Amino acid sequence: MTEEKKTYTFTTRSKVVSNKKMTFMEKIYFPAIIKGMLITFSHLFKKKTTIQYPEVKRNIAEIYRGKHVLKRDDEGRERCTACGLCALSCPAEAITMIAAERKADEMHLYREEKYAKVYEINMLRCIFCGLCEEACPKEAIFLTNEIVPSNYERENFIYGKDKLVEPMDKDKRIDISKRQTTAVLEFKKDKNQSHNN
Amino acid sequence: MDYSFIIYKFTLATVILIISLVVAMYATLIERKMAGFFQDRHGPNRAGKFGILQPLADGLKLFFKEEFMPQSADKFLYILGPSLTMLIALLTSAVIPWGSSIVIGGTEYSLQIADINIGILYVFAILSIGVYGIMIGGWASNNKYALIGAIRAASQMISYELAMGMAIITIVMMTGTLSLGEIVAQQHGFNWNVWYQPLGFFLFLVCAFAETNRAPFDLPECETELVGGYHTEYSSMKLGFYLFAEYINMFISAAMISSLYFGGYNFPFMDDLGLSHNALSLLGSLAFFVKITFFGFLFMWVRWTLPRFRYDQLMRLGWKTLIPLAIVNVIITGLVLMIKNHM
Ligand code: SF4
Ligand code: SF4
């Protein structure tokens, strides 16, 4: 009985290992060395692939998951209600917050009765997965296509509300509509949902 | 021996010392630039235009780095290692003829610091001490990676020195002299040794790569296996000395190859230009530096092309290929010389 010898290929590029003896030409290494050197030499004149970062920036997709933003609603009130769901969902445990109760004279600042007095994201822990955004029931937190800039101090990577909440000014609001699916955008038109106004 | 002679030798030595240091300094930049270009990158380009201040920044950084010494290190040897490496790297430049000579006010000033009549032996003596710097440094660090690196360096240098020596013997047989100045002077015009000793040149080149511990023979450093090899435990300027010595060695090796095989300061048609002696000398020195630059480039080119040899491959290449080839070369040269003398 002869068993048929099978060669398995796991990828399209896999090669069967060959242990055949090197020929004389291969043994003296030289032809191969010259060939290799000519290849590297040709690279001297190739276009450089480097992107000169601070001066030139690579184009980022609009749905890139970068630095977070805490949204305000149309009247400029902070949407976040400090429910903690984002922190709970965060796999990197990057989010911490302290909740506070809204006072009567703060109605124009916070949308809900409870708000986040302190809201911090540690950008060094964050893996920019976007789960916080997905978890948020109030559409308060979103990731943007901005990059977290480098810094010399670790403390400076803990972003508080000063850096996360978007500006009050209507023109300076950060547009996150690109990050919302058409289904979500459709749903938002339904003004019967208290959520959406 | 008058004062002017001493002053002139002193100036020449200083100038060559400074040139070697500056060249080595900028070789680090050029190496990184070349590495970048070979890999479709730009290389350092932030410190000054084209990164021209990068070596200064690197040097400054090395000076201000923490001076760290492992507790279990042998203090004296630990410092001796890099110092010796640096010293030896600089010593060889004394016998290399950097140009023919310059005539000022009727006196002829040779552009070679010391034309000792056993120049080649001197170079070899110095080269073989070179391994001590690495060996001592690796031993004194009291670290197994450093020790393995040092052992590799020692065995590699010793094996390749043999083939290198035999490659040079053929030159000595041909020229009948041990003085480097004389050897270069004999290669007047385009009468370069490489035309008579192509195999010898090739052997010497390969051995020069091994002697300077550069890729594909950089096993003593071998980042992938040995962290940093013999200088794993070194930091600050002591590490700087090791790295710097490597570039000086490269520069000196390029100079040695150029003067032994490519005519040193000689260049084709040098007699037909009708220039004065001094102008010709300067032009010759320039030609010499062009050759050195080319070989320096070759060193970098090879480094960024070839992968590192495995240790057994390295030894096999050294003992089973290069040394037999060198012996064959010696025999052939001897036969040719004998036939020539009897005709
Ligand atoms: S993006 Fe992911 S890791 Fe970053 S804060 Fe949100 S949930 Fe945490
Ligand atoms: S950002 Fe959203 S999920 Fe996080 S605490 Fe505020 S409302 Fe809750």
Side-chain angles (χ1 to χ4, degrees):
Chain A
M1 252 177 47
T2 53
E3 224 170 79
E4 202 182 321
K5 212 179 168 192
K6 270 188 192 167
T7 49
Y8 295 97
T9 51
F10 297 104
T11 68
T12 47
R13 281 190 291 173
S14 76
K15 270 187 192 165
V16 182
V17 176
S18 100
N19 282 328
K20 81 172 178 349
K21 279 241 179 304
M22 287 200 286
T23 62
F24 178 72
M25 277 311 254
E26 283 167 343
K27 255 191 205 148
I28 56 173
Y29 298 126
F30 241 80
I33 287 177
I34 301 282
K35 216 160 94 190
M37 284 176 70
L38 287 180
I39 290 174
T40 41
F41 193 74
S42 73
H43 277 266
L44 280 185
F45 311 104
K46 287 234 171 90
K47 200 172 155 283
K48 313 271 176 274
T49 48
T50 315
I51 297 172
Q52 303 276 346
Y53 169 58
E55 294 95 38
V56 186
K57 286 192 178 123
R58 156 178 268 149
N59 288 330
I60 315 182
E62 271 154 333
I63 54 164
Y64 185 83
R65 296 196 302 265
K67 196 176 92 184
H68 309 64
V69 60
L70 280 172
K71 295 292 289 178
R72 293 175 187 276
D73 69 359
D74 291 348
E75 290 155 47
R77 301 173 299 183
E78 285 176 24
R79 299 188 73 109
C80 175
T81 182
C83 66
L85 285 177
C86 51
L88 192 69
S89 71
C90 177
E93 298 186 353
I95 304 176
T96 46
M97 71 191 72
I98 296 173
E101 197 181 335
R102 182 180 65 181
K103 301 276 156 45
D105 57 341
E106 291 173 334
M107 295 285 267
H108 62 293
L109 287 177
Y110 310 110
R111 219 169 83 108
E112 316 285 338
E113 281 161 37
K114 185 176 151 220
Y115 71 96
K117 197 168 73 179
V118 177
Y119 190 104
E120 285 177 346
I121 301 182
N122 185 340
M123 293 298 178
L124 289 177
R125 300 201 65 158
C126 175
I127 54 171
F128 301 99
C129 59
L131 287 186
C132 46
E133 172 182 344
E134 222 168 278
C136 183
K138 295 292 176 190
E139 290 191 27
I141 190 160
F142 284 96
L143 272 63
T144 65
N145 61 354
E146 264 174 61
I147 284 176
V148 176
S150 54
N151 204 296
Y152 287 111
E153 306 294 332
R154 297 182 84 87
E155 298 90 73
N156 296 347
F157 281 103
I158 298 172
Y159 278 32
K161 277 178 80 174
D162 52 326
K163 285 183 185 157
L164 291 172
V165 181
E166 66 178 343
M168 193 68 114
D169 209 336
K170 269 229 152 75
D171 321 325
K172 286 187 190 149
R173 296 281 175 83
I174 292 163
D175 178 30
I176 42 83
S177 54
K178 288 282 186 336
R179 287 198 58 75
Q180 292 172 323
T181 58
T182 38
V184 170
L185 287 172
E186 206 55 42
F187 172 73
K188 287 191 74 158
K189 287 185 190 140
D190 180 6
K191 293 293 170 188
N192 289 330
Q193 303 278 344
S194 70
H195 183 81
N196 285 337
N197 41 47
Chain B
M1 210 182 278
D2 53 340
Y3 278 120
S4 75
F5 179 77
I6 294 175
I7 290 172
Y8 139 68
K9 283 291 180 198
F10 190 75
T11 333
L12 189 63
T14 318
V15 167
I16 285 170
L17 181 70
I18 290 171
I19 290 180
S20 319
L21 289 179
V22 170
V23 165
M25 210 163 99
Y26 274 90
T28 59
L29 173 66
I30 296 168
E31 167 108 63
R32 291 173 63 186
K33 276 272 175 203
M34 279 299 148
F37 292 164
F38 281 128
Q39 298 169 355
D40 297 346
R41 297 184 283 112
H42 286 279
N45 62 355
R46 294 283 148 166
K49 213 157 180 53
F50 306 115
I52 207 85
L53 299 176
Q54 188 68 42
L56 296 178
D58 286 344
L60 210 65
K61 184 198 79 176
L62 283 173
F63 266 117
F64 285 116
K65 276 258 169 144
E66 187 191 349
E67 195 74 46
F68 178 80
M69 192 186 285
Q71 220 172 10
S72 50
D74 186 321
K75 304 262 171 327
F76 175 67
L77 292 181
Y78 187 77
I79 296 171
L80 184 68
S83 323
L84 201 63
T85 311
M86 191 70 175
L87 176 75
I88 284 157
L90 287 169
L91 271 179
T92 333
S93 58
V95 290
I96 291 176
W98 302 97
S100 57
S101 60
I102 287 203
V103 181
I104 301 168
T107 338
E108 194 171 350
Y109 293 101
S110 156
L111 285 180
Q112 183 178 12
I113 299 176
D115 187 10
I116 43 181
N117 54 8
I118 47 155
I120 286 184
L121 285 186
Y122 170 82
V123 170
F124 261 84
I126 297 292
L127 269 183
S128 47
I129 304 175
V131 70
Y132 285 98
I134 293 175
M135 193 67 213
I136 288 174
W139 170 260
S141 312
N142 209 346
N143 170 318
K144 45 181 168 273
Y145 292 120
L147 186 61
I148 296 174
I151 290 172
R152 284 184 179 186
S155 53
Q156 170 180 331
M157 283 174 132
I158 289 168
S159 342
Y160 279 76
E161 222 156 69
L162 274 176
M164 193 182 213
M166 274 193 267
I168 295 190
I169 280 181
T170 54
I171 293 275
V172 176
M173 284 162 74
M174 253 177 61
T175 54
T177 172
L178 279 168
S179 142
L180 267 175
E182 182 64 31
I183 289 176
V184 174
Q186 283 187 13
Q187 306 177 52
H188 194 75
F190 210 36
N191 187 23
W192 296 352
N193 282 340
V194 67
W195 311 135
Y196 309 106
Q197 291 291 342
L199 183 61
F201 157 67
F202 167 67
L203 292 171
F204 189 87
L205 185 71
V206 175
C207 296
F209 278 106
E211 288 286 308
T212 48
N213 289 332
R214 286 188 57 95
F217 304 112
D218 57 347
L219 283 114
E221 287 173 43
C222 195
E223 305 86 356
T224 35
E225 299 163 26
L226 298 183
V227 192
Y230 60 90
H231 56 56
T232 304
E233 292 286 1
Y234 279 89
S235 61
S236 175
M237 211 49 208
K238 293 204 243 19
L239 173 69
F241 266 29
Y242 270 129
L243 302 183
F244 217 60
E246 177 183 331
Y247 284 95
I248 299 175
N249 275 332
M250 203 170 101
F251 175 60
I252 299 294
S253 294
M256 280 295 285
I257 296 172
S258 318
S259 41
L260 283 177
Y261 291 95
F262 286 83
Y265 51 76
N266 295 302
F267 54 95
F269 313 115
M270 58 197 288
D271 298 327
D272 310 338
L273 290 175
L275 290 170
S276 71
H277 180 76
N278 282 354
L280 206 60
S281 283
L282 286 179
L283 215 58
S285 296
L286 197 69
F288 190 40
F289 273 93
V290 170
K291 289 170 196 172
I292 292 177
T293 315
F294 171 76
F295 283 105
F297 172 73
L298 188 73
F299 269 88
M300 292 172 188
W301 187 6
V302 168
R303 167 161 181 192
W304 295 104
T305 303
L306 298 185
R308 186 179 298 123
F309 273 98
R310 218 171 49 214
Y311 193 60
D312 60 317
Q313 291 171 331
L314 174 96
M315 282 298 155
R316 194 180 316 143
L317 183 74
W319 289 98
K320 286 193 173 169
T321 315
L322 293 183
I323 292 178
L325 273 179
I327 294 174
V328 168
N329 196 29
V330 170
I331 294 172
I332 293 175
T333 313
L335 281 177
V336 170
L337 282 180
M338 203 176 73
I339 292 167
K340 247 190 176 167
N341 288 347
H342 284 274
M343 271 197 310

